[in-house]
Amino acid sequence: RKEVEQDPGPFNVPEGATVAFNCTYSNSASQSFFWYRQDCRKEPKLLMSVYSSGNEDGRFTAQLNRASQYISLLIRDSKLSDSATYLCAVKNQGGKLIFGQGTELSVKP
Amino acid sequence: NAGVTQTPKFQVLKTGQSMTLQCAQDMNHNSMYWYRQDPGMGLRLIYYSASEGTTDKGEVPNGYNVSRLNKREFSLRLESAAPSQTSVYFCASSEGVWVLTFGAGSRLTVL
């Protein structure tokens, strides 16, 4: 079983929809949590870090649930430009950053 | 500011050939990483270097070796390439708990 797991999707949603992704991690000692965005044939880029109290950046909200060992990403009012693969990442106590499989999002007009 | 630079961008090898992927960062980061990305598998960590002079295995280290030549450079070597190593390879660097900065990737095909 992978240390970090995501539903690979794809998620096909209309513009304006709200979509949520979940990611579970198995190492309870994990220290830091992130969401990355990857466009087709490009390198991943940080979308947002995930804090214990939850955090919001415009249309994007990230949550961390340490008790259940999952993180989530909510995208409100989806835009065509949000189409990409979203990767969750977890940094363990050894400093290694482990990624999930990625969830593909396709926003349609 | 170049960030993380990987070479080569593309490479085709025959089974059994060897090659080295080069990675250099100019951000004075201590930590460097090598990942591979395959369809449906996400990014899988091959090797990790927390600082100059140290390396540690990741999720899929078999068939690879690494060298942390200095603080800037972290190379990945395939001694005897296999078709299963056909992939996109990403190098990344970070400082402490801060986020990773990735290189643009190296596409390797092993025939």
Side-chain angles (χ1 to χ4, degrees):
Chain A
R1 182 178 172 231
K2 267 184 73 73
E3 192 171 329
V4 180
E5 296 210 49
Q6 290 179 253
D7 180 347
F11 283 55
N12 297 304
V13 303
E15 264 187 300
T18 295
V19 61
F21 306 134
N22 284 328
C23 170
T24 59
Y25 61 94
S26 60
N27 187 340
S28 60
S30 298
Q31 297 178 331
S32 307
F33 308 88
F34 308 91
W35 283 102
Y36 279 77
R37 171 190 168 128
Q38 186 176 25
D39 293 301
C40 189
R41 302 177 81 82
K42 298 284 191 180
E43 72 273 22
K45 293 186 178 176
L46 180 71
L47 179 66
M48 56 200 305
S49 301
V50 187
Y51 304 118
S52 296
S53 55
N55 47 300
E56 189 173 308
D57 182 4
R59 297 181 292 109
F60 298 83
T61 301
Q63 298 274 359
L64 166 63
N65 185 318
R66 283 193 184 271
S68 301
Q69 294 183 204
Y70 76 84
I71 63 174
S72 63
L73 177 68
L74 184 76
I75 305 175
R76 291 182 297 279
D77 189 23
S78 299
K79 311 291 185 192
L80 296 176
S81 58
D82 293 334
S83 297
T85 296
Y86 292 83
L87 297 144
C88 65
V90 174
K91 186 168 277 193
N92 64 25
Q93 70 271 37
K96 299 175 188 177
L97 192 67
I98 305 298
F99 284 83
Q101 301 95 317
T103 298
E104 184 182 344
L105 173 65
S106 180
V107 182
K108 306 292 188 187
Chain B
N1 217 359
V4 179
T5 303
Q6 290 181 233
T7 55
K9 288 192 178 352
F10 301 94
Q11 183 73 50
V12 179
L13 292 176
K14 293 180 180 177
T15 297
Q17 286 185 317
S18 62
M19 77 157 298
T20 300
L21 296 173
Q22 307 284 358
C23 176
Q25 52 93 7
D26 61 4
M27 297 171 285
N28 204 36
H29 286 169
N30 277 310
S31 300
M32 296 187 74
Y33 305 74
W34 275 107
Y35 291 90
R36 62 177 289 174
Q37 188 171 35
D38 305 292
M41 302 295 290
L43 287 157
R44 291 183 291 171
L45 182 64
I46 305 171
Y47 269 95
Y48 162 62
S49 172
S51 60
E52 184 179 352
T54 68
T55 61
D56 196 6
K57 293 179 180 179
E59 301 169 274
V60 289
N62 291 343
Y64 304 95
N65 286 302
V66 289
S67 295
R68 183 72 184 269
L69 304 169
N70 47 55
K71 192 171 186 179
R72 288 188 65 246
E73 297 171 290
F74 189 38
S75 62
L76 179 72
R77 182 159 179 84
L78 288 69
E79 290 291 351
S80 179
S84 61
Q85 294 177 304
T86 293
S87 189
V88 181
Y89 292 85
F90 287 99
C91 178
S93 70
S94 73
E95 184 59 38
V97 299
W98 300 112
V99 301
L100 264 63
T101 300
F102 283 88
S106 299
R107 294 184 176 274
L108 175 65
T109 301
V110 183
L111 302 174

